[in-house]
Each structure stands twice: as structure tokens, then as C-alpha cells.
Amino acid sequence: MMLEVLVHASKCNEASCQYAKCRNIKDLFRHGLSCTKRVAGGCAFCKRMWFLLTAHARGCKETDCNVPRCM
């Protein structure tokens, strides 16, 4: 289910989206842009985001995917 939310959030531009957990994923995207610890530094939020991104990328078959780092 979280992978579906990841795909949705990567396309969603609505500030007050009603899709469950969309805001949480968007918050993880924003966190990743400003985090100084990153995965190597032990950031739990970055680790969660990288797990979702790699899980998505392994199974994605789209040629024009909007999810960051999918290619």
C-alpha cells in the first residue's frame, strides 16, 4: 500500500490532498532535500524513504515514472 502512496505523492500537487498518507510521503521528500545526516549518518527518515524508493524501483515497469530515483 505504501508503494501506491509513493507513486501518488510523486505526482500530487495538491497542498491539502485527501489521499491517505500522501502528506507523510511528501514530508519525507522534503526531509530528504534538507537532511544533513542522510542514510549513512543514521537518519531513520532517510532510511525509510530509501527503502520505499528502492522497493518501488525494483518492481516498476513504467518508462516515464515520476517517482524520484526510479530510473
Side-chain angles (χ1 to χ4, degrees), residues 15-37:
S16 59
C17 180
Q18 298 301 312
Y19 198 96
K21 305 289 183 183
C22 178
R23 182 175 176 93
N24 294 10
I25 297 294
K26 287 180 184 177
D27 288 343
L28 283 175
F29 285 149
R30 277 189 287 281
H31 168 82
L33 293 173
S34 62
C35 182
T36 56
K37 285 174 70 175

Side-chain angles (χ1 to χ4, degrees), residues 34-46:
S34 62
C35 182
T36 56
K37 285 174 70 175
R38 306 275 182 191
V39 173
C43 178
F45 295 115
C46 288

Side-chain angles (χ1 to χ4, degrees), residues 3 6-7 49-62 65 67-71:
L3 295 178
L6 177 70
V7 172
M49 192 65 200
W50 275 108
F51 174 78
L52 287 173
L53 291 175
T54 56
H56 166 80
R58 277 189 226 121
C60 184
K61 304 230 186 301
E62 290 186 36
C65 184
V67 175
R69 310 280 188 198
C70 183
M71 298 293 168

